[in-house]
mmCIF file of all heavy atoms in Angstrom:
data_model
loop_
_atom_site.group_PDB
_atom_site.id
_atom_site.type_symbol
_atom_site.label_atom_id
_atom_site.label_comp_id
_atom_site.label_asym_id
_atom_site.label_seq_id
_atom_site.Cartn_x
_atom_site.Cartn_y
_atom_site.Cartn_z
ATOM 1 N N LEU E 28 0.801 -1.217 0.000
ATOM 2 C CA LEU E 28 0.000 0.000 0.000
ATOM 3 C C LEU E 28 0.835 1.269 0.000
ATOM 4 O O LEU E 28 0.432 2.282 -0.581
ATOM 5 C CB LEU E 28 -0.921 0.014 1.226
ATOM 6 C CG LEU E 28 -2.007 -1.068 1.301
ATOM 7 C CD1 LEU E 28 -2.766 -0.953 2.615
ATOM 8 C CD2 LEU E 28 -2.955 -0.944 0.129
ATOM 9 N N PHE E 29 1.998 1.246 0.657
ATOM 10 C CA PHE E 29 2.763 2.479 0.866
ATOM 11 C C PHE E 29 4.052 2.527 0.044
ATOM 12 O O PHE E 29 4.960 3.271 0.381
ATOM 13 C CB PHE E 29 3.089 2.631 2.358
ATOM 14 C CG PHE E 29 1.886 2.875 3.217
ATOM 15 C CD1 PHE E 29 1.178 1.820 3.771
ATOM 16 C CD2 PHE E 29 1.441 4.164 3.473
ATOM 17 C CE1 PHE E 29 0.062 2.035 4.564
ATOM 18 C CE2 PHE E 29 0.329 4.398 4.258
ATOM 19 C CZ PHE E 29 -0.368 3.334 4.805
ATOM 20 N N SER E 30 4.109 1.755 -1.035
ATOM 21 C CA SER E 30 5.324 1.707 -1.850
ATOM 22 C C SER E 30 5.319 2.692 -3.007
ATOM 23 O O SER E 30 6.246 2.678 -3.823
ATOM 24 C CB SER E 30 5.524 0.288 -2.398
ATOM 25 O OG SER E 30 5.939 -0.590 -1.380
ATOM 26 N N GLY E 31 4.291 3.495 -3.126
ATOM 27 C CA GLY E 31 4.195 4.373 -4.283
ATOM 28 C C GLY E 31 3.962 3.537 -5.527
ATOM 29 O O GLY E 31 3.082 2.676 -5.551
ATOM 30 N N THR E 32 4.763 3.759 -6.548
ATOM 31 C CA THR E 32 4.628 2.968 -7.772
ATOM 32 C C THR E 32 5.416 1.661 -7.716
ATOM 33 O O THR E 32 5.254 0.810 -8.587
ATOM 34 C CB THR E 32 5.089 3.790 -8.995
ATOM 35 O OG1 THR E 32 6.438 4.224 -8.792
ATOM 36 C CG2 THR E 32 4.191 4.994 -9.213
ATOM 37 N N ASN E 33 6.259 1.480 -6.715
ATOM 38 C CA ASN E 33 7.000 0.209 -6.538
ATOM 39 C C ASN E 33 6.151 -0.772 -5.727
ATOM 40 O O ASN E 33 6.528 -1.193 -4.634
ATOM 41 C CB ASN E 33 8.335 0.445 -5.823
ATOM 42 C CG ASN E 33 9.355 1.106 -6.699
ATOM 43 O OD1 ASN E 33 9.216 1.129 -7.915
ATOM 44 N ND2 ASN E 33 10.396 1.654 -6.103
ATOM 45 N N THR E 34 5.015 -1.135 -6.271
ATOM 46 C CA THR E 34 4.050 -1.909 -5.492
ATOM 47 C C THR E 34 4.488 -3.335 -5.173
ATOM 48 O O THR E 34 3.859 -3.999 -4.364
ATOM 49 C CB THR E 34 2.704 -1.968 -6.238
ATOM 50 O OG1 THR E 34 2.919 -2.500 -7.556
ATOM 51 C CG2 THR E 34 2.097 -0.583 -6.353
ATOM 52 N N ASP E 35 5.549 -3.813 -5.819
ATOM 53 C CA ASP E 35 6.011 -5.178 -5.564
ATOM 54 C C ASP E 35 7.200 -5.216 -4.605
ATOM 55 O O ASP E 35 7.803 -6.273 -4.395
ATOM 56 C CB ASP E 35 6.398 -5.861 -6.881
ATOM 57 C CG ASP E 35 7.486 -5.109 -7.632
ATOM 58 O OD1 ASP E 35 7.676 -3.910 -7.343
ATOM 59 O OD2 ASP E 35 8.139 -5.715 -8.495
ATOM 60 N N VAL E 36 7.542 -4.070 -3.993
ATOM 61 C CA VAL E 36 8.697 -3.994 -3.092
ATOM 62 C C VAL E 36 8.238 -3.490 -1.725
ATOM 63 O O VAL E 36 7.460 -2.530 -1.637
ATOM 64 C CB VAL E 36 9.773 -3.033 -3.655
ATOM 65 C CG1 VAL E 36 10.963 -2.962 -2.711
ATOM 66 C CG2 VAL E 36 10.216 -3.496 -5.031
ATOM 67 N N LYS E 37 8.739 -4.128 -0.641
ATOM 68 C CA LYS E 37 8.410 -3.655 0.701
ATOM 69 C C LYS E 37 8.894 -2.218 0.873
ATOM 70 O O LYS E 37 10.062 -1.920 0.612
ATOM 71 C CB LYS E 37 9.068 -4.541 1.758
ATOM 72 C CG LYS E 37 8.324 -5.826 2.053
ATOM 73 C CD LYS E 37 8.965 -6.536 3.230
ATOM 74 C CE LYS E 37 8.178 -7.792 3.588
ATOM 75 N NZ LYS E 37 8.754 -8.477 4.767
ATOM 76 N N PRO E 38 8.032 -1.333 1.333
ATOM 77 C CA PRO E 38 8.434 0.082 1.414
ATOM 78 C C PRO E 38 9.418 0.394 2.533
ATOM 79 O O PRO E 38 10.270 1.266 2.386
ATOM 80 C CB PRO E 38 7.099 0.808 1.639
ATOM 81 C CG PRO E 38 6.193 -0.215 2.226
ATOM 82 C CD PRO E 38 6.602 -1.526 1.629
ATOM 83 N N ILE E 39 9.331 -0.293 3.672
ATOM 84 C CA ILE E 39 10.154 0.052 4.835
ATOM 85 C C ILE E 39 11.037 -1.130 5.232
ATOM 86 O O ILE E 39 10.557 -2.261 5.358
ATOM 87 C CB ILE E 39 9.268 0.465 6.024
ATOM 88 C CG1 ILE E 39 8.523 1.755 5.709
ATOM 89 C CG2 ILE E 39 10.109 0.657 7.279
ATOM 90 C CD1 ILE E 39 9.415 2.960 5.537
ATOM 91 N N ASN E 40 12.322 -0.851 5.433
ATOM 92 C CA ASN E 40 13.256 -1.878 5.893
ATOM 93 C C ASN E 40 13.325 -1.898 7.410
ATOM 94 O O ASN E 40 13.080 -0.883 8.073
ATOM 95 C CB ASN E 40 14.655 -1.609 5.318
ATOM 96 C CG ASN E 40 14.696 -1.793 3.812
ATOM 97 O OD1 ASN E 40 14.125 -2.735 3.280
ATOM 98 N ND2 ASN E 40 15.363 -0.880 3.112
ATOM 99 N N ASP E 41 13.662 -3.037 7.971
ATOM 100 C CA ASP E 41 13.740 -3.194 9.426
ATOM 101 C C ASP E 41 14.915 -2.412 10.003
ATOM 102 O O ASP E 41 15.934 -2.192 9.345
ATOM 103 C CB ASP E 41 13.881 -4.672 9.797
ATOM 104 C CG ASP E 41 12.614 -5.468 9.497
ATOM 105 O OD1 ASP E 41 11.529 -4.886 9.639
ATOM 106 O OD2 ASP E 41 12.720 -6.649 9.123
ATOM 107 N N PHE E 42 14.746 -2.008 11.271
ATOM 108 C CA PHE E 42 15.827 -1.364 12.025
ATOM 109 C C PHE E 42 16.135 -2.275 13.212
ATOM 110 O O PHE E 42 15.606 -2.123 14.300
ATOM 111 C CB PHE E 42 15.381 0.025 12.491
ATOM 112 C CG PHE E 42 16.459 0.782 13.232
ATOM 113 C CD1 PHE E 42 17.544 1.313 12.550
ATOM 114 C CD2 PHE E 42 16.374 0.974 14.602
ATOM 115 C CE1 PHE E 42 18.536 2.014 13.234
ATOM 116 C CE2 PHE E 42 17.351 1.680 15.289
ATOM 117 C CZ PHE E 42 18.440 2.199 14.606
ATOM 118 N N LYS E 43 16.981 -3.259 12.931
ATOM 119 C CA LYS E 43 17.345 -4.259 13.929
ATOM 120 C C LYS E 43 18.835 -4.549 13.833
ATOM 121 O O LYS E 43 19.464 -4.211 12.824
ATOM 122 C CB LYS E 43 16.544 -5.547 13.699
ATOM 123 C CG LYS E 43 15.049 -5.397 13.926
ATOM 124 C CD LYS E 43 14.319 -6.711 13.674
ATOM 125 C CE LYS E 43 12.824 -6.550 13.927
ATOM 126 N NZ LYS E 43 12.079 -7.803 13.678
ATOM 127 N N PRO E 44 19.435 -5.135 14.884
ATOM 128 C CA PRO E 44 20.859 -5.466 14.815
ATOM 129 C C PRO E 44 21.199 -6.267 13.566
ATOM 130 O O PRO E 44 20.550 -7.258 13.257
ATOM 131 C CB PRO E 44 21.070 -6.302 16.088
ATOM 132 C CG PRO E 44 20.037 -5.790 17.038
ATOM 133 C CD PRO E 44 18.834 -5.493 16.190
ATOM 134 N N GLY E 45 22.215 -5.794 12.854
ATOM 135 C CA GLY E 45 22.633 -6.474 11.634
ATOM 136 C C GLY E 45 21.996 -5.941 10.371
ATOM 137 O O GLY E 45 22.481 -6.211 9.270
ATOM 138 N N SER E 46 20.912 -5.180 10.496
ATOM 139 C CA SER E 46 20.241 -4.636 9.315
ATOM 140 C C SER E 46 21.050 -3.475 8.752
ATOM 141 O O SER E 46 21.840 -2.835 9.459
ATOM 142 C CB SER E 46 18.831 -4.167 9.665
ATOM 143 O OG SER E 46 18.876 -3.078 10.560
ATOM 144 N N ALA E 47 20.835 -3.192 7.462
ATOM 145 C CA ALA E 47 21.591 -2.118 6.807
ATOM 146 C C ALA E 47 21.301 -0.769 7.455
ATOM 147 O O ALA E 47 22.206 0.080 7.586
ATOM 148 C CB ALA E 47 21.236 -2.075 5.323
ATOM 149 N N THR E 48 20.070 -0.551 7.871
ATOM 150 C CA THR E 48 19.712 0.725 8.489
ATOM 151 C C THR E 48 20.388 0.884 9.855
ATOM 152 O O THR E 48 20.854 1.977 10.199
ATOM 153 C CB THR E 48 18.188 0.820 8.654
ATOM 154 O OG1 THR E 48 17.703 -0.367 9.302
ATOM 155 C CG2 THR E 48 17.500 0.953 7.298
ATOM 156 N N LYS E 49 20.453 -0.200 10.624
ATOM 157 C CA LYS E 49 21.100 -0.136 11.942
ATOM 158 C C LYS E 49 22.607 0.064 11.797
ATOM 159 O O LYS E 49 23.222 0.862 12.537
ATOM 160 C CB LYS E 49 20.831 -1.444 12.713
ATOM 161 C CG LYS E 49 21.456 -1.490 14.112
ATOM 162 C CD LYS E 49 20.831 -0.465 15.029
ATOM 163 C CE LYS E 49 21.190 -0.729 16.494
ATOM 164 N NZ LYS E 49 22.622 -0.512 16.801
ATOM 165 N N VAL E 50 23.215 -0.611 10.843
ATOM 166 C CA VAL E 50 24.646 -0.445 10.597
ATOM 167 C C VAL E 50 24.945 0.998 10.199
ATOM 168 O O VAL E 50 25.929 1.603 10.663
ATOM 169 C CB VAL E 50 25.117 -1.429 9.500
ATOM 170 C CG1 VAL E 50 26.547 -1.103 9.068
ATOM 171 C CG2 VAL E 50 25.036 -2.868 10.007
ATOM 172 N N ALA E 51 24.100 1.566 9.340
ATOM 173 C CA ALA E 51 24.302 2.951 8.894
ATOM 174 C C ALA E 51 24.146 3.924 10.061
ATOM 175 O O ALA E 51 24.914 4.895 10.183
ATOM 176 C CB ALA E 51 23.315 3.283 7.784
ATOM 177 N N PHE E 52 23.181 3.673 10.933
ATOM 178 C CA PHE E 52 22.960 4.553 12.088
ATOM 179 C C PHE E 52 24.143 4.470 13.048
ATOM 180 O O PHE E 52 24.623 5.503 13.542
ATOM 181 C CB PHE E 52 21.669 4.156 12.802
ATOM 182 C CG PHE E 52 21.307 5.044 13.954
ATOM 183 C CD1 PHE E 52 20.673 6.260 13.739
ATOM 184 C CD2 PHE E 52 21.634 4.687 15.265
ATOM 185 C CE1 PHE E 52 20.336 7.101 14.794
ATOM 186 C CE2 PHE E 52 21.315 5.517 16.327
ATOM 187 C CZ PHE E 52 20.666 6.724 16.094
ATOM 188 N N ASP E 53 24.626 3.260 13.315
ATOM 189 C CA ASP E 53 25.777 3.086 14.213
ATOM 190 C C ASP E 53 27.011 3.776 13.641
ATOM 191 O O ASP E 53 27.787 4.407 14.378
ATOM 192 C CB ASP E 53 26.069 1.598 14.421
ATOM 193 C CG ASP E 53 24.983 0.903 15.238
ATOM 194 O OD1 ASP E 53 24.175 1.618 15.876
ATOM 195 O OD2 ASP E 53 24.931 -0.337 15.223
ATOM 196 N N ALA E 54 27.178 3.667 12.317
ATOM 197 C CA ALA E 54 28.332 4.304 11.678
ATOM 198 C C ALA E 54 28.231 5.822 11.774
ATOM 199 O O ALA E 54 29.243 6.516 11.979
ATOM 200 C CB ALA E 54 28.417 3.869 10.216
ATOM 201 N N ALA E 55 27.024 6.351 11.637
ATOM 202 C CA ALA E 55 26.829 7.798 11.735
ATOM 203 C C ALA E 55 27.135 8.279 13.153
ATOM 204 O O ALA E 55 27.759 9.343 13.341
ATOM 205 C CB ALA E 55 25.400 8.155 11.351
ATOM 206 N N PHE E 56 26.724 7.516 14.158
ATOM 207 C CA PHE E 56 26.986 7.875 15.560
ATOM 208 C C PHE E 56 28.485 7.863 15.832
ATOM 209 O O PHE E 56 29.042 8.821 16.390
ATOM 210 C CB PHE E 56 26.267 6.903 16.494
ATOM 211 C CG PHE E 56 26.346 7.267 17.945
ATOM 212 C CD1 PHE E 56 25.328 7.987 18.553
ATOM 213 C CD2 PHE E 56 27.454 6.905 18.725
ATOM 214 C CE1 PHE E 56 25.393 8.334 19.899
ATOM 215 C CE2 PHE E 56 27.532 7.248 20.067
ATOM 216 C CZ PHE E 56 26.500 7.966 20.654
ATOM 217 N N ALA E 57 29.141 6.776 15.419
ATOM 218 C CA ALA E 57 30.584 6.659 15.649
ATOM 219 C C ALA E 57 31.360 7.715 14.872
ATOM 220 O O ALA E 57 32.368 8.251 15.360
ATOM 221 C CB ALA E 57 31.052 5.258 15.262
ATOM 222 N N GLY E 58 30.886 8.036 13.676
ATOM 223 C CA GLY E 58 31.566 9.048 12.872
ATOM 224 C C GLY E 58 31.466 10.430 13.490
ATOM 225 O O GLY E 58 32.388 11.253 13.351
ATOM 226 N N TYR E 59 30.386 10.698 14.194
ATOM 227 C CA TYR E 59 30.208 12.024 14.804
ATOM 228 C C TYR E 59 30.938 12.136 16.135
ATOM 229 O O TYR E 59 31.628 13.116 16.407
ATOM 230 C CB TYR E 59 28.724 12.305 14.992
ATOM 231 C CG TYR E 59 28.432 13.675 15.554
ATOM 232 C CD1 TYR E 59 28.352 14.786 14.729
ATOM 233 C CD2 TYR E 59 28.250 13.863 16.932
ATOM 234 C CE1 TYR E 59 28.103 16.058 15.247
ATOM 235 C CE2 TYR E 59 27.998 15.120 17.455
ATOM 236 C CZ TYR E 59 27.918 16.213 16.607
ATOM 237 O OH TYR E 59 27.675 17.468 17.126
ATOM 238 N N PHE E 60 30.786 11.111 17.004
ATOM 239 C CA PHE E 60 31.347 11.191 18.359
ATOM 240 C C PHE E 60 32.731 10.556 18.473
ATOM 241 O O PHE E 60 33.463 10.823 19.433
ATOM 242 C CB PHE E 60 30.401 10.518 19.360
ATOM 243 C CG PHE E 60 29.115 11.267 19.568
ATOM 244 C CD1 PHE E 60 27.927 10.804 19.038
ATOM 245 C CD2 PHE E 60 29.086 12.456 20.295
ATOM 246 C CE1 PHE E 60 26.728 11.488 19.232
ATOM 247 C CE2 PHE E 60 27.898 13.153 20.489
ATOM 248 C CZ PHE E 60 26.717 12.672 19.951
ATOM 249 N N GLY E 61 33.098 9.692 17.546
ATOM 250 C CA GLY E 61 34.404 9.029 17.628
ATOM 251 C C GLY E 61 34.371 7.724 18.389
ATOM 252 O O GLY E 61 35.414 7.076 18.550
ATOM 253 N N PHE E 62 33.209 7.300 18.843
ATOM 254 C CA PHE E 62 33.031 6.024 19.541
ATOM 255 C C PHE E 62 31.577 5.609 19.381
ATOM 256 O O PHE E 62 30.725 6.416 19.014
ATOM 257 C CB PHE E 62 33.396 6.147 21.032
ATOM 258 C CG PHE E 62 32.797 7.349 21.703
ATOM 259 C CD1 PHE E 62 31.481 7.352 22.161
ATOM 260 C CD2 PHE E 62 33.545 8.518 21.876
ATOM 261 C CE1 PHE E 62 30.920 8.456 22.765
ATOM 262 C CE2 PHE E 62 32.999 9.642 22.482
ATOM 263 C CZ PHE E 62 31.674 9.612 22.927
ATOM 264 N N ASN E 63 31.288 4.325 19.655
ATOM 265 C CA ASN E 63 29.905 3.860 19.505
ATOM 266 C C ASN E 63 29.085 4.176 20.748
ATOM 267 O O ASN E 63 29.635 4.584 21.786
ATOM 268 C CB ASN E 63 29.860 2.362 19.152
ATOM 269 C CG ASN E 63 30.411 1.478 20.262
ATOM 270 O OD1 ASN E 63 30.127 1.688 21.439
ATOM 271 N ND2 ASN E 63 31.212 0.487 19.887
ATOM 272 N N GLN E 64 27.820 3.952 20.658
ATOM 273 C CA GLN E 64 26.896 4.353 21.723
ATOM 274 C C GLN E 64 27.027 3.535 23.003
ATOM 275 O O GLN E 64 26.507 3.933 24.048
ATOM 276 C CB GLN E 64 25.439 4.323 21.223
ATOM 277 C CG GLN E 64 24.979 3.040 20.578
ATOM 278 C CD GLN E 64 25.122 3.081 19.068
ATOM 279 O OE1 GLN E 64 26.211 3.338 18.573
ATOM 280 N NE2 GLN E 64 24.030 2.835 18.347
ATOM 281 N N ASN E 65 27.712 2.403 22.930
ATOM 282 C CA ASN E 65 27.902 1.582 24.122
ATOM 283 C C ASN E 65 29.295 1.763 24.740
ATOM 284 O O ASN E 65 29.645 1.082 25.710
ATOM 285 C CB ASN E 65 27.676 0.105 23.777
ATOM 286 C CG ASN E 65 26.219 -0.188 23.429
ATOM 287 O OD1 ASN E 65 25.310 0.268 24.113
ATOM 288 N ND2 ASN E 65 26.001 -0.909 22.342
ATOM 289 N N HIS E 66 30.069 2.677 24.212
ATOM 290 C CA HIS E 66 31.399 2.963 24.751
ATOM 291 C C HIS E 66 31.255 3.718 26.073
ATOM 292 O O HIS E 66 30.272 4.430 26.305
ATOM 293 C CB HIS E 66 32.188 3.797 23.740
ATOM 294 C CG HIS E 66 33.647 3.879 24.019
ATOM 295 N ND1 HIS E 66 34.194 4.804 24.894
ATOM 296 C CD2 HIS E 66 34.693 3.135 23.553
ATOM 297 C CE1 HIS E 66 35.503 4.646 24.944
ATOM 298 N NE2 HIS E 66 35.833 3.626 24.123
ATOM 299 N N ALA E 67 32.255 3.558 26.942
ATOM 300 C CA ALA E 67 32.206 4.217 28.257
ATOM 301 C C ALA E 67 32.138 5.738 28.119
ATOM 302 O O ALA E 67 31.498 6.424 28.933
ATOM 303 C CB ALA E 67 33.434 3.818 29.073
ATOM 304 N N ASP E 68 32.775 6.294 27.088
ATOM 305 C CA ASP E 68 32.767 7.745 26.906
ATOM 306 C C ASP E 68 31.392 8.287 26.529
ATOM 307 O O ASP E 68 31.176 9.506 26.582
ATOM 308 C CB ASP E 68 33.771 8.129 25.819
ATOM 309 C CG ASP E 68 35.218 7.908 26.260
ATOM 310 O OD1 ASP E 68 35.439 7.782 27.489
ATOM 311 O OD2 ASP E 68 36.105 7.842 25.386
ATOM 312 N N ALA E 69 30.488 7.403 26.160
ATOM 313 C CA ALA E 69 29.143 7.853 25.792
ATOM 314 C C ALA E 69 28.436 8.490 26.981
ATOM 315 O O ALA E 69 27.527 9.309 26.806
ATOM 316 C CB ALA E 69 28.318 6.693 25.247
ATOM 317 N N GLN E 70 28.860 8.136 28.188
ATOM 318 C CA GLN E 70 28.275 8.726 29.396
ATOM 319 C C GLN E 70 28.502 10.230 29.451
ATOM 320 O O GLN E 70 27.733 10.960 30.078
ATOM 321 C CB GLN E 70 28.894 8.075 30.643
ATOM 322 C CG GLN E 70 28.373 6.684 30.958
ATOM 323 C CD GLN E 70 27.038 6.730 31.683
ATOM 324 O OE1 GLN E 70 26.574 7.793 32.102
ATOM 325 N NE2 GLN E 70 26.399 5.571 31.819
ATOM 326 N N ASP E 71 29.571 10.699 28.828
ATOM 327 C CA ASP E 71 29.943 12.105 28.933
ATOM 328 C C ASP E 71 29.344 12.985 27.836
ATOM 329 O O ASP E 71 29.638 14.188 27.773
ATOM 330 C CB ASP E 71 31.478 12.217 28.878
ATOM 331 C CG ASP E 71 32.138 11.455 30.016
ATOM 332 O OD1 ASP E 71 31.549 11.405 31.115
ATOM 333 O OD2 ASP E 71 33.243 10.895 29.800
#
């Protein structure tokens, strides 16, 4: 229903560990702060 004209393709991808969207988000976080969100420095 929500794919626009790509009616044979799932419109939304999952955001779960290992998924492309989660990997991209983790990379964006690490690229900005210099460490991942579970690093000890994340507290600061």
Side-chain angles (χ1 to χ4, degrees):
L28 295 177
F29 293 90
S30 287
T32 57
N33 287 343
T34 56
D35 58 341
V36 180
K37 279 187 177 182
I39 294 295
N40 293 318
D41 291 326
F42 182 73
K43 294 180 179 179
S46 65
T48 51
K49 180 66 166 68
V50 170
F52 183 81
D53 291 345
F56 186 95
Y59 183 84
F60 291 106
F62 47 81
N63 64 43
Q64 53 265 55
N65 292 315
H66 194 276
D68 291 343
Q70 284 279 351
D71 300 326

